[in-house]
Amino acid sequence: MTLPTAKSTPSMPSSKNIPQEAFDWYDEYAHGDIDRRTFLSRLGTLSVTGLTLSVVAGALTPNYALAEQVSFNDPEITASYVEFDSPNGHGKARGYLVIPKDVDMTNKAPAVLVAHENRGLNPYIEDVARRLAKAGFIAFAPDALFPLGGYPGNDDEGRAMQKTLDGNKIEGDFMDAATLLKNHSFSTGKVGMVGFCFGGYLTNALVAAMPDTIQAGAPYYGTPAKSNIDKIKAPLQLHFAELDKRVNDSWPDYEKALKANKVDYTAYVYPTANHGFHNDSTARYQEKNAELAWERTIQFFNKALNA
């Protein structure tokens, strides 16, 4: 199978030209600590040579047209939206299922559950699912916003919608999605999970809550599981951004707990990277770090799920 290569985004200003304060404020904004008005007001206080406020704000907010690496119509995959029962969540849920063309009931493959950020199933996460399928995995990316009609097409509205949902029910939807993958007729029964930001937290949480289902976890800049760390059986490959103080502050205590419970883990910190460095739709994207992290993730899943 042909693996996708990262796409550069030349229409964005270089992240080197944007002050670190702008990235920090965007992180606060993206996680609901400040509103859009405050975010833009703070950006207006910066002096950025050659860049206007609108250009900097535009570079920091997602432009999903720039991010696609694998087409929906790629001949090596089959992508579709699938509804499923979620008795542990909202009753009914929906996700984006991507299957390699050569996988069927007689030629099965391991599966990977993909967990989105705090704004629903946006095009970037769908593309991540397609990348996994290109690498030979059945990939499934649920949309936490399905009970409210699904991802609305923009991140601001998606973020506001997700905040209104019961977090325990969101976790339940993803748990039932993991069970679906384990039992899928094309699946070998081996399931991994990768998630980004809020999805990184979900990955940590489900590895702890479903030790007999999730057999490998790769959280990207995710905060720790809140409970059941002592139940973790699966290996973890954790990805952190050097400049992501909010998430990184939670790591020392989490690492102590992983060590105390003899969890098999590897943690990588990517230099000069900000939270969201894997997301290739904004100026936070760092191609070199993102490609390295993704290469490591695919190798990790191959080792853990194909043994």
Side-chain angles (χ1 to χ4, degrees):
M1 293 185 179
T2 304
L3 295 181
T5 56
K7 247 172 102 172
S8 61
T9 53
S11 60
M12 291 184 189
S14 169
S15 60
K16 295 179 181 179
N17 297 329
I18 299 176
Q20 182 58 38
E21 295 98 322
F23 290 105
D24 295 339
W25 295 334
Y26 179 76
D27 189 62
E28 290 183 60
Y29 163 58
H31 292 92
D33 298 325
I34 60 175
D35 60 20
R36 183 174 179 81
R37 181 186 296 273
T38 303
F39 169 57
L40 293 176
S41 176
R42 289 183 181 179
L43 286 184
T45 67
L46 295 176
S47 175
V48 186
T49 303
L51 297 177
T52 64
L53 169 62
S54 62
V55 169
V56 175
L60 290 170
T61 52
N63 182 345
Y64 293 119
L66 301 174
E68 183 179 90
Q69 293 187 25
V70 180
S71 169
F72 179 96
N73 296 312
D74 189 291
E76 293 185 353
I77 63 173
T78 300
S80 61
Y81 295 96
V82 174
E83 291 189 21
F84 60 99
D85 292 329
S86 181
N88 291 301
H90 288 93
K92 278 285 186 182
R94 188 177 78 158
Y96 186 63
L97 181 67
V98 194
I99 300 176
K101 277 287 191 182
D102 59 353
V103 169
D104 55 29
M105 292 184 68
T106 60
N107 183 36
K108 299 186 177 187
V112 177
L113 182 64
V114 185
H116 59 67
E117 305 137 311
N118 65 338
R119 61 211 69 172
L121 180 60
N122 59 41
Y124 155 63
I125 297 297
E126 291 185 344
D127 197 67
V128 168
R130 294 194 293 270
R131 296 174 208 175
L132 283 161
K134 287 279 283 186
F137 300 97
I138 298 169
F140 191 46
D143 185 358
L145 300 184
F146 177 70
L148 302 177
Y151 176 70
N154 73 84
D155 281 16
D156 279 352
E157 188 177 347
R159 189 182 302 113
M161 290 167 65
Q162 190 161 317
K163 284 180 69 174
T164 69
L165 292 171
D166 183 332
N168 291 325
K169 288 188 177 182
I170 292 176
E171 290 186 30
D173 287 338
F174 277 80
M175 291 173 70
D176 288 327
T179 300
L180 179 153
L181 284 180
K182 183 176 182 178
N183 297 328
H184 194 283
S185 59
F186 292 1
S187 169
T188 61
K190 292 188 175 182
V191 179
M193 185 169 179
V194 63
F196 306 85
C197 186
F198 171 74
Y201 159 74
L202 280 181
T203 302
N204 285 320
L206 264 65
V207 166
M210 305 182 76
D212 296 322
T213 299
I214 307 292
Q215 295 175 291
Y220 279 63
Y221 23 87
T223 52
K226 297 174 182 175
S227 59
N228 296 317
I229 294 175
D230 60 319
K231 303 291 195 304
I232 296 175
K233 296 179 183 178
L236 290 172
Q237 186 184 84
L238 305 104
H239 302 272
F240 296 99
E242 182 185 25
L243 303 177
D244 187 7
K245 185 177 185 301
R246 179 183 58 84
V247 170
N248 295 350
D249 283 350
S250 70
W251 171 236
D253 287 342
Y254 190 29
E255 183 175 32
K256 287 179 184 176
L258 295 178
K259 286 181 175 178
N261 291 287
K262 297 180 171 57
V263 175
D264 177 9
Y265 76 91
T266 304
Y268 296 105
V269 179
Y270 296 87
T272 71
N274 279 287
H275 185 95
F277 71 88
H278 185 266
N279 185 334
D280 48 358
S281 68
T282 83
R284 296 186 297 173
Y285 174 60
Q286 287 191 345
E287 183 174 355
K288 183 177 179 180
N289 280 329
E291 287 189 342
L292 176 58
W294 193 244
E295 180 182 351
R296 286 169 168 166
T297 300
I298 296 299
Q299 290 174 348
F300 171 66
F301 285 143
N302 275 324
K303 180 179 180 181
L305 305 178
N306 281 313

